[in-house]
Amino acid sequence: MSTNKLKLAMKALFRLNSAAAASGAGIPILDAQGEVIGSDTFERVAAQFALKGKDGQPRLGNSVFIATVESDYYRFWLPEYFAASNVANAVGVMVKDGDNHIIIAKDEAPATMNWATSNVAGGTTNCGREAAMKDHDGRAKTKTVVNTLGENAPFAKFCADYYPSNMAVDNAFFGKGRWWAPAAGDLWMMYQHFNEINYALKLINGTLLTRTAYWSITETSATYAWLLYFTNGTFNSDFKSTNSFRVRPVSAFY
């Protein structure tokens, strides 16, 4: 757009006392070349800005999508194209970061829980802080922890047994056995896109993420496992059996 066209558009935008603005037609609509082709009301444009942003963050980008299951396939929607008629088929929200992606379940455990019933090893490789933040191997680690500890690993067991309430237990895409506990790197992806994820979860009537601590399946030692505080991004480890934290299952496109 040329400088003159931009100035004209800005003048039209802020001409609040004009007859056009008074009649409700105060915001110019421009074509790709910057030519004014119409106008819109301040109220309607304000509503669009409200949709485009949530808590100061953009509503959408190329990283967050809504996952739905159709009859024999599943689909990922940009939030702005998602219609209420698709809510019945929604299973969660996908987040993509480089080569990594996860599908965050639309719901989480109804209450906090312990990582394990005692401070014992879950059978996976222990990770230091740097390795933990790069860990996206939640699927394999959840299987290992459940095989090692069984009912003594309530966090991993809940995630392994989870399936969305609107899906059949044997659904080929997102039924039982297709979900697992997030690795520490997965939690970091969720934290980076917290507001966008919650916006998408709200569209599908899901349970919003909360500004509190969530467990990861990534172990620090036989005694500790990693967790992430969504309040401020604090990445820490804690006793597996002493404290209980929030639990959110995840899946992936595979």
Side-chain angles (χ1 to χ4, degrees):
M1 183 188 301
S2 69
T3 302
N4 287 337
K5 289 178 180 177
L6 178 60
K7 288 181 179 178
L8 288 172
M10 294 303 293
K11 286 181 180 179
L13 178 63
F14 291 104
R15 199 162 50 237
L16 300 179
N17 296 322
S18 68
S23 66
I27 300 238
I29 299 173
L30 309 179
D31 64 13
Q33 287 71 46
E35 298 295 337
V36 177
I37 58 175
S39 61
D40 207 341
T41 67
F42 285 100
E43 291 77 14
R44 284 171 48 122
V45 173
Q48 288 299 310
F49 276 113
L51 287 175
K52 291 289 183 183
K54 180 74 173 172
D55 296 334
Q57 289 194 11
R59 167 190 163 193
L60 57 93
N62 58 358
S63 299
V64 175
F65 305 82
I66 294 173
T68 62
V69 176
E70 312 299 334
S71 58
D72 58 352
Y73 62 94
Y74 49 104
R75 175 183 293 169
F76 298 105
W77 303 77
L78 282 169
E80 71 269 30
Y81 298 130
F82 186 76
S85 58
N86 296 310
V87 169
N89 298 325
V91 296
V93 175
M94 183 177 79
V95 178
K96 188 177 184 303
D97 185 5
D99 294 331
N100 299 307
H101 82 277
I102 53 171
I103 299 169
I104 303 157
K106 63 183 295 186
D107 299 304
E108 60 185 43
T112 60
M113 58 179 60
N114 297 118
W115 199 98
T117 57
S118 60
N119 294 324
V120 295
T124 71
T125 302
N126 296 331
C127 290
R129 188 178 300 273
E130 183 177 358
M133 293 189 71
K134 298 176 182 178
D135 183 19
H136 297 280
D137 197 21
R139 182 184 177 194
K141 289 185 175 180
T142 299
K143 183 177 181 180
T144 297
V145 172
V146 171
N147 287 341
T148 303
L149 300 177
E151 298 296 333
N152 293 320
F155 160 51
K157 191 72 167 54
F158 173 85
C159 294
D161 290 343
Y162 171 84
Y163 62 95
S165 59
N166 58 334
M167 294 289 116
V169 63
D170 60 349
N171 181 275
F173 301 114
F174 291 110
K176 182 178 177 180
R178 302 286 292 192
W179 299 84
W180 51 85
D186 299 331
L187 290 183
W188 185 245
M189 288 171 58
M190 292 162 66
Y191 175 71
Q192 287 179 294
H193 298 279
F194 185 93
N195 290 334
E196 293 167 277
I197 292 168
N198 271 354
Y199 181 85
L201 285 170
K202 188 174 182 179
L203 290 177
I204 63 175
N205 300 325
T207 303
L208 303 187
L209 297 174
T210 59
R211 291 291 189 184
T212 187
Y214 283 77
W215 275 124
S216 83
I217 197 66
T218 309
E219 295 185 80
T220 311
S221 66
T223 305
Y224 293 92
W226 289 103
L227 55 91
L228 181 65
Y229 286 87
F230 285 176
T231 48
N232 55 15
T234 299
F235 192 56
N236 205 356
S237 60
D238 209 326
F239 288 104
K240 295 175 179 177
S241 66
T242 303
N243 295 319
S244 61
F245 299 104
R246 300 301 301 176
V247 170
R248 176 76 68 147
V250 299
S251 187
F253 177 78
Y254 74 98

